Amino acid sequence: MKAEIITVGDELLTGNTVDSNSAFIASKLTEKGYLVRRITTVGDDVEEIKSIILEALDRKPDVLVISGGLGPTHDDVTMLAVSKALNRELELCEECLERIRKFYVELHKKGLIDDPELNEARKKMAYLPKGATPLQNTEGAAPGAFIEHEGIKIFVLPGMPREMKAMLLNEVLPRLGERTFIQKKYLAEITDESKLAPILSEAIRKFNVRIHSSPKGFGKYIGIIIFGEDEEIIEKVIEFMQSRGISFKEGW
Amino acid sequence: MKAEIITVGDELLTGNTVDSNSAFIASKLTEKGYLVRRITTVGDDVEEIKSIILEALDRKPDVLVISGGLGPTHDDVTMLAVSKALNRELELCEECLERIRKFYVELHKKGLIDDPELNEARKKMAYLPKGATPLQNTEGAAPGAFIEHEGIKIFVLPGMPREMKAMLLNEVLPRLGERTFIQKKYLAEITDESKLAPILSEAIRKFNVRIHSSPKGFGKYIGIIIFGEDEEIIEKVIEFMQSRGISFKEGW
């Protein structure tokens, strides 16, 4: 099962913001058993975003998660780009508009904004591509969108980390089925990674797991992450590699 | 002047590592006056990396910075991918091999590694695509590479942040000329961003600057970043926008 992530925002391309969203999304997709193949970051440019979505769809991932650019300002153009890429018109989501209205009334009551009214900028957030299921935003104004398009599950999420995380956990992951992967980290006490490589390859062929390795401490250890369906299979992989003469410490 | 960034590493696609490298690279390219158009993150897969490099080159950026995957382990395949993408064979860089040899002798003297010898894995790092200029790594073993290819400046850097940063500052930026941009951040005291947008557009047409805006504090302020060649032009932009009735606070 393959996945791709697209993050949107000029602040990511000028380095004013570190893109921690894509790591969070990637870790959750990995736990669900998806192989994230590519993460692409693009600015708030409707034609650029559209191109990148079309390129991603061409590679036929099972899941595409897009994050950022759903707010009320003129450079929040992600929904428009999705609409253009999928050739699905933007349509008013009445339920979303009602939520947005209530959201600003609440902010106004709390004294956080001067004006509770729905102006054009705020209304804009209630428009979703035709056929989209709105995704509830418990932490902010802009709804997300879920679209099944040519067999690809597309999720469009806000870019504010607090809003994105809540929506990912509450609205996206439950739509990606029951399957979960866990990961465990080990330090292999071996200084020559070339001796470890064939044993790792053998383990991957024998068991239904993924293994990543990287040198730690200038080659004193090899750090290993094993991804598998449960603790039991990971334990079996460790036992197998120990039987091939590798010693392990748990954790990094 | 357009730039693209490619970051390489399975740990980025599983969310085990947040990609802070691309933000650092993006901020330094932005300061040099480059417009970073796209950041792509890919795993340690030689064919995937090759494809992504070819796609980036097709878009004809002035500069392409690639970071990650230069180490000694079997999944460090970035230089090979660059070599395949550019159709330039990997060649032994004798000067690099000598540096790598000295590097491991030093580590051994400090007691950090058991074996100072140049094994195959360590030697691998001394191979660069034909015609590449080696870039000195003051913080680690693997050299980087600078390649001018069809008018595009390509830089290949390590993924360890300490190594990448030193090489970017010492070896990459001096090759990107004298031009520098500065950026200053302001809070515009305006709650309706739609009133600000036409004034920003007018400022961009009038002055040689870039301006990014994003709402802050639920629409109480609009955060503005102005990118320009010097303080003076940024001051002029602020004066112009003040003459159109916008008040500013400096900084966020």
Side-chain angles (χ1 to χ4, degrees), chain B residues 30-69:
Chain B
T30 301
E31 286 173 12
K32 278 282 179 188
Y34 287 89
L35 186 63
V36 178
R37 293 290 299 274
R38 200 185 280 216
I39 299 166
T40 311
T41 303
V42 60
D44 298 301
D45 179 307
V46 68
E47 289 304 320
E48 273 288 285
I49 303 169
K50 177 187 159 189
S51 300
I52 283 173
I53 293 171
L54 288 173
E55 292 167 29
L57 294 177
D58 254 2
R59 289 185 293 267
K60 307 271 177 226
D62 299 283
V63 168
L64 172 62
V65 179
I66 303 166
S67 166

Side-chain angles (χ1 to χ4, degrees), chain B:
Chain B
M1 297 195 297
K2 290 184 297 176
E4 291 210 20
I5 299 168
I6 297 172
T7 53
V8 181
D10 284 340
E11 69 281 8
L12 303 171
L13 295 185
T14 59
N16 278 289
T17 301
V18 171
D19 177 17
S20 58
N21 281 357
S22 59
F24 186 84
I25 298 166
S27 70
K28 294 300 168 193
L29 292 176
T30 301
E31 286 173 12
K32 278 282 179 188
Y34 287 89
L35 186 63
V36 178
R37 293 290 299 274
R38 200 185 280 216
I39 299 166
T40 311
T41 303
V42 60
D44 298 301
D45 179 307
V46 68
E47 289 304 320
E48 273 288 285
I49 303 169
K50 177 187 159 189
S51 300
I52 283 173
I53 293 171
L54 288 173
E55 292 167 29
L57 294 177
D58 254 2
R59 289 185 293 267
K60 307 271 177 226
D62 299 283
V63 168
L64 172 62
V65 179
I66 303 166
S67 166
L70 302 192
T73 73
H74 75 283
D75 52 5
D76 287 309
V77 293
T78 300
M79 244 2 137
L80 179 59
V82 171
S83 139
K84 289 185 169 208
L86 305 185
N87 213 1
R88 295 177 181 227
E89 271 176 48
L90 287 176
E91 284 185 343
L92 181 66
C93 162
E94 296 284 355
E95 165 202 345
C96 303
L97 192 68
E98 184 54 21
R99 277 183 191 281
I100 292 167
R101 197 188 60 72
K102 281 186 186 155
F103 180 82
Y104 284 105
V105 167
E106 284 302 312
L107 285 186
H108 185 248
K109 275 187 195 158
K110 290 179 187 159
L112 292 169
I113 53 171
D114 297 333
D115 180 2
E117 289 305 308
L118 273 181
N119 54 30
E120 283 310 307
R122 290 171 183 172
K123 267 186 206 162
K124 187 190 76 171
M125 296 185 283
Y127 285 82
L128 304 184
K130 194 175 173 142
T133 304
L135 301 179
Q136 200 179 325
N137 187 341
T138 54
E139 310 296 317
F146 167 49
I147 306 158
E148 294 220 63
H149 189 82
E150 297 174 359
I152 302 169
K153 288 185 163 74
I154 303 172
F155 297 92
V156 193
L157 311 181
M160 291 275 284
R162 207 162 48 102
E163 301 180 21
M164 179 282 293
K165 285 179 186 179
M167 197 179 287
L168 188 79
L169 298 176
N170 301 328
E171 293 275 56
V172 177
L173 298 184
R175 287 182 165 87
L176 296 182
E178 283 304 311
R179 190 175 170 211
T180 51
F181 261 49
I182 61 165
Q183 58 174 19
K184 291 194 79 169
K185 295 180 179 186
Y186 297 88
L187 283 177
E189 294 178 24
I190 183 170
T191 56
D192 188 351
E193 209 250 0
S194 63
K195 286 175 194 157
L196 185 61
I199 300 170
L200 293 182
S201 304
E202 205 182 336
I204 291 165
R205 278 195 307 273
K206 236 174 133 68
F207 302 98
N208 183 27
V209 292
R210 286 162 55 201
I211 306 180
H212 290 168
S213 64
S214 56
K216 298 282 161 192
F218 280 123
K220 273 212 138 176
Y221 298 102
I222 308 291
I224 287 181
I225 310 178
I226 306 178
F227 303 87
E229 284 184 9
D230 51 36
E231 297 258 349
E232 199 183 336
I233 192 154
I234 292 178
E235 200 52 52
K236 277 186 188 160
V237 172
I238 290 297
E239 280 166 20
F240 166 76
M241 294 204 284
Q242 282 168 335
S243 77
R244 289 285 192 275
I246 313 286
S247 310
F248 290 96
K249 291 202 282 193
E250 205 173 316
W252 292 357

